[in-house]
Amino acid sequence: MPNIVVIGAQWGDEGKGKVVDLLAPCVDVVVRYQGGNNAGHTVVVGKDKFVLQTIPAGILHAGCRCVIGCGVVVDPSSLIEEMESLVQRGVSLDGNLYISKNAHLIMPYHPALDRASESKAGRRRIGTTGKGVGPAYADKAARIGIRMADLLDERLFREKLEANVFQKNRLLREIYDAETFTVDGILGPYLRYAGWLAPYITDTALLLSRWIDAGASVLFEGAQGTMLDIDHGTYPFITSSSTTAGGASTGTGVPPTKINGIVGIAKAYCTRVGGGPFPTELGGEIADLLRARGNEYGAVTGRPRRCGWVDVIGLRYAARINGFDTIALTKLDVLDTCETVKICVGYRYKGEVLTDFPEEERIWHEAEPVYEEMSGWQTTTHRLRDYAALPAKAREYLDHLSELIGVPFSIVSTGAARDETILVQDSALARWFPALRGLLPAH
Ligand code: GDP
Ligand code: IMO
Ligand code: MG
């Protein structure tokens, strides 16, 4: 049974939630391996819309085991709220949710530090989600983080908390002139969370290993996207975790030798939320059109997303860093009304045209995109489920894009709902998951 990783190929919000929900009935386990409640993964089921933040998007399928891996940072209050909201909406969390003992906790001082440092950053503000994800990963790397397992050991938890509150209060007060915390003010609520979460906290690396040995199929659900990766993204305008393929292994304890394939998720155009360079960013009418048709507003913060044309230089880079076997291309329908569509095939910088994604921050900011322009199809693709039924010009666009990236497409998404999806017959996803053909029949 294949173990497959799903990864955002751009700056996040590519439609990972939709794709994970589609694949979940074909696997036994879905595991999140990085990020925290900065993620917002939308799943549309009929008239219902779910936005998952820390819980894997497989949770909507009874029988699918969902794991929050060791690479995730967990805000327990936000997680409990998410769990309660799912239960209220009829989703069962009985025996199908597992949280790694090694996952780090987001503590109340983390969002405070996140907001305080952003408020002082001026022009170089990252535009974080304000959830405390960066400061929580900073503590993890500094070896002063507090982990899920510590929640279950009151004495150890208090000891670690005291040291942290002492240090964070000095930072908050003296560097940021911000409000401080007390140990007791945090201890009470966190011990209550511990009581709530204790039944779910376990050695998930061991469980995953046993399940895989017994023949289970695991889907790794990436959060954010390649360009937000701490090592490979547009540093420092990134998130603080390993969003790329390697993170799937370190963030779960499943060795790379047990991973069988990597799927990139990319939009037919491109968006970014927050600050930082975005070579193909558009202003004016076309950006407004993409934002309105694509409903490009942050699932977590509600912020309008910046919009631009698809960037082959970035996507080829994502394919190289992650080793994509295939791509699921989403939101084709959003381009339906465009007279022409553009594809960025180079970055012009100081008279030269670069075709490999550069590593210099200055170039990301200053490069001018070089475009190929294709005529639009100007007819609806919304809800289409058959590749052959797509307008010829849409197929030309898809075929050309796939060829430029050098990676075949497995899925073309034509709407937010589950069945608004084209499965490319004889694609990697159709081969890995034969049941998909039944779930996504062409009409
Ligand atoms: P994620 O973070 O990668 O899971 O993506 P988000 O959920 O943040 O953003 C993707 C948005 O696009 C969500 O509102 C989805 O419901 C929606 N969506 C996904 N695929 C399609 C598609 O093919 N067409 C349209 N119009 N919307 C889509
Ligand atoms: P999903 O999983 C899009 C962005 C923020 C900011 C930067 C750092 O839904 O695709 P952070 O709060 O992580 O320290 O913010 O990363 N960002 C996302 N952008 N989708 C996401 O998640 C994101 N998670 C973080 O906007 O620019
Ligand atoms: Mg999102």
Side-chain angles (χ1 to χ4, degrees):
M1 294 290 265
N3 302 317
I4 303 296
V5 188
V6 169
I7 293 179
Q10 296 155 324
W11 277 283
D13 303 327
E14 299 91 347
K16 298 176 292 294
K18 168 171 170 166
V19 174
V20 168
D21 170 73
L22 277 177
L23 302 181
C26 306
V27 300
D28 303 289
V29 182
V30 179
V31 56
R32 269 280 302 272
Y33 58 87
Q34 44 69 232
N37 58 334
N38 50 351
H41 295 177
T42 312
V43 179
V44 174
V45 187
K47 288 197 169 65
D48 289 326
K49 181 169 126 176
F50 296 84
V51 178
L52 283 317
Q53 291 189 253
T54 306
I55 298 178
I59 200 71
L60 303 180
H61 297 269
C64 180
R65 283 163 265 171
C66 287
V67 176
I68 297 171
C70 59
V72 175
V73 286
V74 180
D75 180 328
S77 146
S78 156
L79 173 61
I80 290 168
E81 213 175 285
E82 191 176 339
M83 290 165 74
E84 282 180 327
S85 146
L86 285 171
V87 169
Q88 269 169 20
R89 297 179 70 181
V91 178
S92 167
L93 299 179
D94 207 13
N96 56 350
L97 181 65
Y98 306 82
I99 307 169
S100 168
K101 282 186 183 173
N102 287 353
H104 279 247
L105 287 163
I106 297 181
M107 304 296 291
Y109 41 77
H110 290 135
L113 285 165
D114 195 350
R115 287 192 295 267
S117 72
E118 283 279 274
S119 73
K120 297 266 191 271
R123 202 173 59 80
R124 294 192 64 83
R125 244 178 117 239
I126 294 162
T128 70
T129 58
K131 302 291 183 186
V133 166
Y137 278 117
D139 279 2
K140 172 176 173 172
R143 296 164 292 184
I144 54 171
I146 307 182
R147 308 208 283 190
M148 274 293 160
D150 302 328
L151 258 190
L152 308 181
D153 181 336
E154 188 176 333
R155 241 189 31 220
L156 190 60
F157 182 72
R158 177 189 276 276
E159 193 184 315
K160 293 190 177 185
L161 180 63
E162 279 171 355
N164 268 288
V165 167
F166 176 76
Q167 188 220 52
K168 267 51 175 196
N169 278 350
R170 287 197 67 177
L171 261 176
L172 285 164
R173 196 171 42 234
E174 289 167 31
I175 309 263
Y176 296 119
D177 205 13
E179 278 184 32
T180 54
F181 291 85
T182 63
V183 169
D184 286 339
I186 295 176
L187 195 61
Y190 270 63
L191 290 178
R192 275 203 306 283
Y193 304 149
W196 240 95
L197 295 176
Y200 303 93
I201 301 173
T202 183
D203 182 344
T204 53
L206 180 62
L207 278 181
L208 285 164
S209 161
R210 285 187 179 152
W211 291 337
I212 290 172
D213 285 348
S217 179
V218 178
L219 192 67
F220 297 77
E221 176 179 349
Q224 289 82 50
T226 302
M227 295 303 193
L228 290 170
D229 183 270
I230 186 154
D231 291 292
H232 305 290
T234 49
Y235 191 93
F237 300 96
I238 45 118
T239 190
S240 300
S241 64
S242 295
T243 62
T244 46
S249 201
T250 53
T252 58
V254 175
T257 46
K258 301 275 182 190
I259 292 176
N260 309 104
I262 317 273
V263 188
I265 316 295
K267 278 181 199 179
Y269 50 101
C270 194
T271 63
R272 169 162 208 169
V273 60
F278 180 2
T280 63
E281 182 170 18
L282 292 165
E285 248 175 62
I286 303 179
D288 292 344
L289 175 102
L290 295 176
R291 189 173 306 108
R293 287 188 54 81
N295 191 24
E296 295 296 356
Y297 294 90
V300 172
T301 59
R303 290 177 293 177
R305 294 175 182 152
R306 299 155 65 193
C307 296
W309 294 119
V310 74
D311 181 352
V312 163
I313 303 307
L315 287 175
R316 262 208 316 255
Y317 174 70
R320 164 158 65 86
I321 293 293
N322 293 298
F324 291 153
D325 295 290
T326 185
I327 284 177
L329 196 84
T330 62
K331 305 191 96 159
L332 180 72
D333 54 298
V334 173
L335 298 181
D336 284 350
T337 59
C338 294
E339 249 174 73
T340 61
V341 283
K342 292 189 185 176
I343 301 178
C344 170
V345 292
Y347 290 171
R348 193 184 311 279
Y349 183 71
K350 294 204 167 148
E352 242 188 284
V353 175
L354 310 174
T355 51
D356 281 312
F357 191 74
E359 295 204 308
E360 294 82 2
E361 189 183 334
R362 184 170 302 286
I363 305 184
W364 305 326
H365 283 286
E366 295 178 8
E368 266 193 44
V370 177
Y371 287 116
E372 276 188 15
E373 191 164 0
M374 298 180 76
S375 65
W377 41 97
Q378 295 194 282
T379 162
T380 185
T381 63
H382 186 212
R383 299 201 164 131
L384 291 185
R385 292 158 72 169
D386 187 353
Y387 204 85
L390 285 170
K393 284 179 176 161
R395 270 184 279 132
E396 272 164 37
Y397 175 73
L398 293 170
D399 293 346
H400 190 48
L401 186 58
S402 167
E403 194 181 300
L404 286 169
I405 303 167
V407 179
F409 296 163
S410 273
I411 274 179
V412 177
S413 175
T414 56
R418 279 176 179 163
D419 59 355
E420 294 169 344
T421 308
I422 296 168
L423 174 67
V424 179
Q425 303 298 317
D426 195 34
S427 60
L429 277 176
R431 282 195 302 277
W432 288 329
F433 303 119
L436 261 189
R437 292 207 176 92
L439 292 168
L440 296 172
H443 281 289

